[in-house]
């Protein structure tokens, strides 16, 4: 009987606490998780219906996964919908125009992210 109680308590502890034991907070966001985040963006305006292309070697980024979004229908003057970077540590999504960068989804007034202490931005946002 004592063994059965021990087994039940042990099983419940592993069942409810197992996910906490298996997670490493320092590990960050995987490529698959970043892919899923960016794919979810393509379900909403203004990126609805775009194709997602991971950039080779993440476009030289070391702290971000980098993607290009391409419209799936011809547009003028370009078919490029933009560049997206996903922070490898936090999963934060940044829309990268090459000059200014914005959080996704947009914040009130859609103000660009300003470089500064504690702000983690892709290389070409500065």
């Amino acid at each position: 009987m004592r063994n059965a109680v021990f087994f039940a308590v042990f099983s419940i502890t592993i069942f409810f606490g197992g996910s906490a034991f298996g997670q490493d907070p320092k590990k960050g966001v995987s490529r698959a998780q970043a892919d899923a985040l960016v794919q979810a963006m393509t379900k909403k305006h203004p990126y609805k219906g775009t194709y997602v292309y991971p950039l080779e070697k993440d476009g030289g980024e070391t702290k971000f996964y980098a993607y290009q979004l391409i419209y799936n229908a011809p547009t003028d003057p370009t078919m490029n919908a933009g560049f997206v970077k996903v922070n490898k540590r936090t999963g934060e999504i940044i829309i990268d125009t090459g000059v200014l960068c914005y959080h996704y989804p947009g914040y009130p007034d859609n103000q660009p992210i300003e470089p500064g202490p504690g702000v983690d931005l892709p290389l070409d946002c500065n």
Side-chain angles (χ1 to χ4, degrees), residues 35-50 52 69 104:
D35 290 350
L37 289 170
V38 177
Q39 287 293 342
M41 285 181 62
T42 66
K43 308 280 187 272
K44 299 178 182 177
H45 181 75
Y47 303 103
K48 189 171 186 170
T50 55
V52 176
L69 302 180
Y104 179 87

Side-chain angles (χ1 to χ4, degrees), residues 92-94 101-113:
E92 178 183 28
I93 299 173
I94 296 175
C101 290
Y102 302 88
H103 290 280
Y104 179 87
Y107 289 102
D109 302 323
N110 202 23
Q111 296 296 313
I113 304 169

